[in-house]
Amino acid sequence: MVGDPNYADPPNCGGCNHFSHSPSEGDTAQSLPNTYASKECCVPANVRLAQLPKSDLKKLMGTCPAPSPASMQGDWLGVNRGMMLALTGNATFIKRFRMLNTMNCVRGVGTNIRVCQVPLEQLGQCGWQPKLDAQTGQPDMHGNFLIINRDPLELDYRQADNPFFEPTRFLVDELVQVEEGLLLGRANLQLFRWRIPVAYFALYKAD
């Protein structure tokens, strides 16, 4: 579990600082490979980020810049931390972003893709394999959002088209860029004008 004090990192495999994945040739953001997996044995960068103390995550949210919307097109590998993990039962997920050419603050749309859950220490080898919808055979998507160009960048589930019983429809995520290809997010419960932080998550770009 992310943040579990008993969780031990797998052995370092020698100078590997970041997670790398190896999608099959010709894959696009709209056609996911069977798995985003690393040939390295190191802990993925998004897992390492999500495991930082909450005080460090809060500081990063306050000091890191918002990502450029144009840099977010495509799929990002996600790791949940804290209450979001407890609510959804999913430690890992994929966020898909699609940019729009607009003149207002809405810069794009996105959704979440459910993935097969594996122990965090195995993510580098077999993580982020999308679950498929039994009826369509396509990746199982849920939780749609609009990308709002603010600082920090916002993913607003309230304004997107979501089913009435979709639990994410009361959320607004905030995103900052920790480094190129690595984002930190904070999920907030938005009740009228009150915004209540509920969880952190980390995203690593799958390109």
Side-chain angles (χ1 to χ4, degrees):
M1 177 182 295
V2 177
D4 186 341
N6 297 318
Y7 172 81
D9 290 347
N12 190 293
C13 55
C16 168
N17 293 320
H18 298 293
F19 174 67
S20 62
H21 64 283
S22 53
S24 58
E25 185 177 353
D27 288 322
T28 68
Q30 300 303 315
S31 177
L32 286 171
N34 288 334
T35 182
Y36 284 112
S38 171
K39 295 180 180 179
E40 306 293 341
C41 64
C42 298
V43 182
N46 49 0
V47 175
R48 297 200 305 272
L49 176 60
Q51 288 179 324
L52 291 177
K54 288 186 179 179
S55 58
D56 290 350
L57 298 177
K58 182 177 180 179
K59 183 176 180 180
L60 287 170
M61 288 296 306
T63 57
C64 291
S68 165
S71 69
M72 297 172 61
Q73 176 78 23
D75 296 331
W76 293 68
L77 313 181
V79 178
N80 277 323
R81 161 76 182 264
M83 188 177 294
M84 191 59 64
L85 173 57
L87 289 174
T88 66
N90 294 320
T92 55
F93 59 97
I94 294 172
K95 278 192 188 294
R96 172 172 291 175
F97 298 96
R98 181 167 63 88
M99 298 302 108
L100 301 175
N101 187 16
T102 64
M103 299 299 293
N104 56 32
C105 64
V106 178
R107 294 302 176 88
V109 296
T111 192
N112 294 274
I113 299 173
R114 292 185 174 95
V115 301
C116 300
Q117 302 298 301
V118 300
L120 293 184
E121 62 269 22
Q122 297 179 17
L123 284 174
Q125 290 76 43
C126 55
W128 292 284
Q129 179 176 333
K131 288 185 177 180
L132 300 182
D133 185 277
Q135 294 183 335
T136 66
Q138 298 300 309
D140 185 5
M141 301 182 188
H142 73 107
N144 303 313
F145 52 82
L146 301 185
I147 302 167
I148 311 297
N149 191 25
R150 297 194 177 111
D151 190 7
L153 196 77
E154 292 184 355
L155 311 180
D156 195 332
Y157 293 80
R158 304 167 306 160
Q159 300 185 48
D161 184 17
N162 284 303
F164 180 79
F165 293 106
E166 170 58 50
T168 62
R169 70 187 188 93
F170 299 105
L171 295 180
V172 176
D173 293 344
E174 299 169 310
L175 281 181
V176 297
Q177 180 172 299
V178 177
E179 59 183 56
E180 185 176 357
L182 182 64
L183 306 180
L184 174 63
R186 180 167 55 201
N188 302 281
L189 181 63
Q190 188 78 41
L191 298 174
F192 303 102
R193 61 187 180 89
W194 294 284
R195 181 168 291 187
I196 305 169
V198 294
Y200 290 96
F201 58 90
L203 300 173
Y204 193 95
K205 191 165 189 179
D207 54 5

